[in-house]
Amino acid sequence: MTALAVETLIKIAVFLFAMMTAAAYLVLLERWICAWVQDRQGPNRVGVPLTNIKLFGLGQPLADGIKMIMKQEYTPKHVDTVVYYLAPVTILAAALGIFAVIPWGSYIPATPSLGIEKPVSLVIAPNVDVGLVFVFAVSSLAVYGVILGGWASNNKYSFIGALRSSAQLIAYELPLGLGILGVVLVTGSLRLEEIMREQIDARMWFVFSQPLGFLVFLVAAFAESARLPFDLPECEQELIGGYHTEYSGIRLLMYLIAEFLHMVTASFLIVVLYLGGWHFDPLTGSDWVTNDWIEAILRIVVLTVKVLAVIVFFMIVRWSWPRFRFDQLMTLAWKVMLPLGLVNLFVTAALVEYGSTLSQHYGDENAGLIQLAVSWGALIVSCVAAALAAPLASDNRPRIGLPQPVKRPRAGSLN
């Protein structure tokens, strides 16, 4: 029992250090990508203090963090103080708690000379049978941090941002769940390790066998992480900063870290659910538990590279796409993503139900090809049907014939 507690505490300490460091340097990476997209120089001056060593600006995150922590704490008089303090803690705790069941590697091999008597799973809480339910439940708590922050700030911009955020998160929770249900039907498990193991054993990542579910999950994950083109809750041009307009210093830093962690969480889930997790056959092998330290390290590296690739994709999309209008956001959720998720669920359920019949008639290999063809056919037909049925979801052209506002003359004006 003591050994298990020590093992868990070590995992939590390593995880917190890795996440906080990653959040800081991912901000720097995003600034570099932003500068590259906008054809200008990014942060490249801050290096080692009191020297001329710049190190490509690698000291920038440290300088930003110290500035935010040392900044004067200011609490406006018109806020609800208790809720105002509680809100950023809630969202940060929810963002960190999700990682309890998300694997960040395979196993550390048993090495008696180092005191490791059995393989150590690289999950803080391994073998949780309801892992996906836990992820959904804890991620849903994040919306309370946003709503409480917006309400407690007693500011109209904060309150509108909080209302927008709650509407957006609730709308996209449904497609997010429907995208995952296809994977759950195929694997028959809610355990993240089991879903990853199913892809490794079949040597087929779900991004290839569940393309429609992957598309629905990817778009919903963008919306849930509230990043461009889905950053309606805090869009600066309309709402200044949205729900965290009244926050500064360490509390604002907690909000910003939580936002980045949401993106990292979405990237981990995309990799684990659809991109095979740590699996990359030429390097990592396919055995679930390895006794080779090099192979174990390569599995961590492969998983990290995949997650970083998805994060870079998130960042490039952020600096390349314009923001949706709010009506487009809701139309996309209820008229496009929700029907696509339902189609994916029905098609996957039918394939699971009649998969054994197909195998009996056509053999395992041909049945697999038929299932792949049906999955990709469902993707193409559904996307074409959605584009024809709900074109306003992506149409930014001015509409003709809408009622125009009546211009009333000012009091005392001659016009």
Side-chain angles (χ1 to χ4, degrees), residues 121-383:
S121 174
L122 291 178
V123 188
I124 294 175
N127 302 322
V128 176
D129 289 332
V130 290
L132 271 177
V133 176
F134 177 84
V135 169
F136 269 83
V138 177
S139 65
S140 299
L141 294 178
V143 73
Y144 288 103
V146 174
I147 293 174
L148 291 176
W151 182 81
S153 295
N154 198 15
N155 175 308
K156 63 181 178 182
Y157 296 113
S158 302
F159 190 59
I160 293 173
L163 290 179
R164 279 188 179 185
S165 177
S166 56
Q168 177 176 328
L169 295 180
I170 291 171
Y172 281 89
E173 283 278 340
L174 293 173
L176 193 76
L178 290 172
I180 290 178
L181 275 181
V183 173
V184 174
L185 281 176
V186 173
T187 58
S189 175
L190 291 169
R191 193 186 296 177
L192 288 169
E193 298 100 311
E194 194 63 35
I195 292 172
M196 200 160 58
R197 187 171 188 168
E198 184 77 19
Q199 299 175 77
I200 294 168
D201 291 343
R203 296 178 185 276
M204 172 70 75
W205 299 351
F206 285 135
V207 66
F208 300 115
S209 58
Q210 295 275 321
L212 183 55
F214 173 71
L215 177 66
V216 172
F217 184 82
L218 181 67
V219 175
F222 263 94
E224 288 289 309
S225 56
R227 293 176 62 81
L228 266 172
F230 297 95
D231 70 333
L232 276 296
E234 57 178 276
C235 50
E236 295 85 358
Q237 294 85 350
E238 300 170 27
L239 300 179
I240 306 175
Y243 55 90
H244 55 59
T245 299
E246 297 287 4
Y247 283 90
S248 63
I250 188 70
R251 298 188 192 95
L252 177 62
L253 183 64
M254 292 165 76
Y255 265 123
L256 299 180
I257 291 175
E259 286 180 11
F260 250 86
L261 289 181
H262 286 152
M263 180 182 65
V264 176
T265 306
S267 303
F268 263 98
L269 288 176
I270 288 170
V271 170
V272 170
L273 295 175
Y274 292 98
L275 299 178
W278 49 258
H279 179 244
F280 191 72
D281 232 352
L283 295 176
T284 59
S286 300
D287 294 333
W288 185 242
V289 180
T290 179
N291 294 317
D292 186 356
W293 269 92
I294 295 177
E295 203 168 77
I297 293 171
L298 280 175
R299 290 179 178 184
I300 298 174
V301 171
V302 168
L303 181 65
T304 307
V305 169
K306 286 182 180 179
V307 171
L308 277 177
V310 177
I311 289 173
V312 169
F313 177 67
F314 267 87
M315 292 175 177
I316 291 176
V317 169
R318 176 182 180 184
W319 295 105
S320 306
W321 281 48
R323 179 182 300 123
F324 288 124
R325 291 193 314 260
F326 198 70
D327 63 312
Q328 291 176 323
L329 186 85
M330 289 293 113
T331 302
L332 183 66
W334 295 105
K335 295 184 178 179
V336 179
M337 287 296 110
L338 186 60
L340 289 182
L342 289 172
V343 169
N344 177 63
L345 178 63
F346 290 137
V347 170
T348 306
L351 291 176
V352 171
E353 177 67 21
Y354 297 106
S356 56
T357 307
L358 287 174
S359 297
Q360 289 175 1
H361 284 82
Y362 301 104
D364 290 340
E365 188 173 344
N366 289 333
L369 292 175
I370 292 172
Q371 290 178 344
L372 276 180
V374 171
S375 298
W376 283 92
L379 170 69
I380 296 170
V381 173
S382 302
C383 289

